Amino acid sequence: MEEVIVKDLIIGSVIITFLFLIYHRLSEWILSFFPRNQFSFVAACIAAVLFPTASHRYLLEFRSLHRVSYTPNGLLFGLTALFYIMVYGYFMTIFEPGAPKFFLMVVAIVPIYTFAVLRTIKLAKVLGYLQKLDRALAEKQMVVDRVKKLYQEGEKRVKSIEVTKKKELKEFEQQLKQIERELGTLEYRKNGIAKEIRYYEHKRKNLSILQECKQDGVEIGIDSNILMECDDEFFDLLKGNKLVISKFVHNEWDKMKESDNKYTSRKAIKAMHRFEELQKNGSVRSITKQWDADFLKANVLAQMDMDDSIIADYLYELKNGKNIVALSDDTGFRTSARGAHLPVLDVKLARAN
């Protein structure tokens, strides 16, 4: 009897193991047709119920994606089957040959079957949660990509606006420079016109003063710088008046024409030529010194000063009944003359080149 039980146990173990391997491989083949890249919790539960020994294969794709530390395989179920055989053999030795073998098989396999199903469902829940995270991350990534794209478009627009603004700024700067050049030209013309206006105003005033002197029979005692500096128009106006020139003025011209400064020398020679022209025209007379040191002191004039000596000559003429006024382009000369009560013409010279 015992030999029969052992023989049946061995034969039953081989048959059960063979059938288990066939069932396991068949389950793997069927599951290979499931779309692993589209995980479904319901499909995972169905696979767990129908193919408990290989249902984990359906989830391998997600296990590899998320690195889930759970690696069930066929060996585990082989050991499970061996455990079942041992339990089955144990019960076969206890019960008599007439005992309900199918009931014993169910009692032995139900806990293992339940474990396999629960294991797959638990793994499916984990991977389902990870799948939700994947979708959330994908949505976030889409938002990030959209924001990045908007940012890039914004940068392009900003760069485009910067290029446009730089171009407009450059054009504006060019226009501004052009306006500044035009303003500079206008300012130059304005200054030139103002200068011309002042020139003609002075000319009109000079003409009025000299005509008044001519009408009143006033003689004009000129300083050395007048014939040196005045332009030809003013010199022509002087020709119509009676002029008086001190001998000290001649002395200044003689010294200056020997000057090392060519400009000064040229001006002195020019003045002497003009004096000669006035002599030929009969509109000028020369005077020499007739005063003494007491005269200078009485009129607050210096003994050794050339300007004061010229002023003394004209002042002496004035005090001796001559109707005479002084004319000079030198401020020092004019202030000294007024200090000595010698009338001075308020004339502005237009200087010759």
Side-chain angles (χ1 to χ4, degrees):
M1 182 65 179
E2 292 179 358
E3 292 179 359
V4 173
I5 291 174
V6 173
K7 182 180 179 181
D8 289 343
L9 182 60
I10 294 172
I11 293 172
S13 298
V14 172
I15 292 171
I16 289 173
T17 302
F18 180 74
L19 291 175
F20 176 82
L21 291 175
I22 292 175
Y23 167 75
H24 183 73
R25 292 299 180 186
L26 182 63
S27 298
E28 287 184 338
W29 179 75
I30 293 172
L31 288 173
S32 66
F33 292 100
F34 278 61
R36 299 181 183 181
N37 60 338
Q38 296 178 358
F39 171 70
S40 169
F41 180 75
V42 176
C45 292
I46 293 172
V49 174
L50 296 178
F51 314 106
T53 63
S55 58
H56 65 284
R57 297 290 183 184
Y58 177 70
L59 306 171
L60 286 179
E61 177 105 4
F62 292 90
R63 184 204 66 181
S64 61
L65 288 175
H66 298 286
R67 300 180 181 178
V68 178
S69 301
Y70 191 81
T71 56
N73 51 47
L75 179 61
L76 177 62
F77 292 98
L79 295 175
T80 303
L82 181 60
F83 172 75
Y84 161 73
I85 293 169
M86 292 173 63
V87 172
Y88 177 74
Y90 173 74
F91 279 103
M92 286 294 292
T93 59
I94 295 176
F95 293 93
E96 294 181 358
K101 299 179 180 179
F102 177 77
F103 174 76
L104 295 176
M105 183 185 300
V106 172
V107 170
I109 202 170
V110 165
I112 300 171
Y113 178 81
T114 303
F115 167 75
V117 172
L118 292 177
R119 177 214 58 199
T120 302
I121 292 173
K122 183 177 181 180
L123 182 60
K125 286 182 178 180
V126 173
L127 295 178
Y129 176 72
L130 293 176
Q131 187 181 36
K132 290 181 181 179
L133 290 180
D134 280 344
R135 286 195 297 268
L137 288 174
E139 291 176 359
K140 295 294 183 183
Q141 187 62 42
M142 288 176 63
V143 173
V144 171
D145 292 341
R146 193 181 306 117
V147 171
K148 188 182 293 184
K149 184 177 180 181
L150 291 174
Y151 177 76
Q152 291 174 349
E153 291 178 355
E155 279 190 332
K156 290 181 180 178
R157 289 183 182 179
V158 170
K159 289 181 180 178
S160 176
I161 292 173
E162 285 180 351
V163 171
T164 303
K165 291 299 181 182
K166 285 181 179 179
K167 184 177 180 181
E168 291 178 354
L169 181 60
K170 187 175 181 181
E171 292 176 355
F172 176 76
E173 288 177 347
Q174 291 176 349
Q175 293 176 359
L176 184 61
K177 289 180 180 179
Q178 179 64 27
I179 292 172
E180 288 177 348
R181 286 195 293 269
E182 292 177 358
L183 287 175
T185 302
L186 291 175
E187 186 67 22
Y188 177 79
R189 292 177 180 176
K190 176 184 174 182
N191 293 336
I193 292 171
K195 186 176 180 180
E196 289 183 6
I197 291 174
R198 288 195 299 271
Y199 171 78
Y200 285 108
E201 282 292 328
H202 293 157
K203 183 177 179 181
R204 181 189 61 78
K205 185 177 180 181
N206 294 342
L207 177 61
S208 175
I209 292 172
L210 293 178
Q211 283 181 344
E212 185 177 348
C213 290
K214 183 177 180 181
Q215 291 173 359
D216 295 341
V218 177
E219 290 185 306
I220 301 173
I222 61 175
D223 188 13
S224 57
N225 53 42
I226 294 297
L227 296 185
M228 292 175 62
E229 300 293 345
C230 72
D231 61 1
D232 292 336
E233 286 188 83
F234 187 81
F235 178 66
D236 290 336
L237 292 176
L238 283 176
K239 289 179 182 179
N241 289 77
K242 295 179 180 180
L243 305 178
V244 179
I245 295 182
S246 168
K247 191 65 176 178
F248 291 106
V249 171
H250 290 279
N251 294 337
E252 280 195 326
W253 287 342
D254 287 335
K255 290 179 180 179
M256 286 188 286
K257 76 176 181 179
E258 303 297 334
S259 173
D260 295 332
N261 188 319
K262 292 182 179 180
Y263 177 80
T264 302
S265 175
R266 181 169 59 84
K267 289 288 185 180
I269 294 172
K270 182 177 182 180
M272 296 176 74
H273 288 163
R274 282 178 167 178
F275 174 75
E276 185 179 10
E277 186 176 346
L278 289 173
Q279 274 187 324
K280 292 178 180 179
N281 191 45
S283 57
V284 63
R285 68 183 179 89
S286 298
I287 59 175
T288 59
K289 174 183 174 183
Q290 298 183 34
W291 41 265
D292 55 17
D294 293 334
F295 181 83
L296 291 177
K297 186 177 181 180
N299 291 282
V300 198
L301 297 172
Q303 177 73 37
M304 303 301 294
D305 187 85
M306 184 63 70
D307 285 346
D308 284 5
S309 297
I310 298 172
I311 293 170
D313 276 351
Y314 299 147
L315 184 62
Y316 188 85
E317 292 281 314
L318 178 67
K319 289 185 179 293
N320 283 276
K322 297 291 184 179
N323 191 4
I324 189 171
V325 295
L327 176 61
S328 176
D329 193 42
D330 181 8
T331 304
F333 182 95
R334 292 196 298 268
T335 55
S336 294
R338 291 191 185 98
H341 303 290
L342 173 66
V344 180
L345 292 180
D346 187 17
V347 172
K348 300 290 185 181
L349 291 185
R351 295 178 178 273
N353 296 325

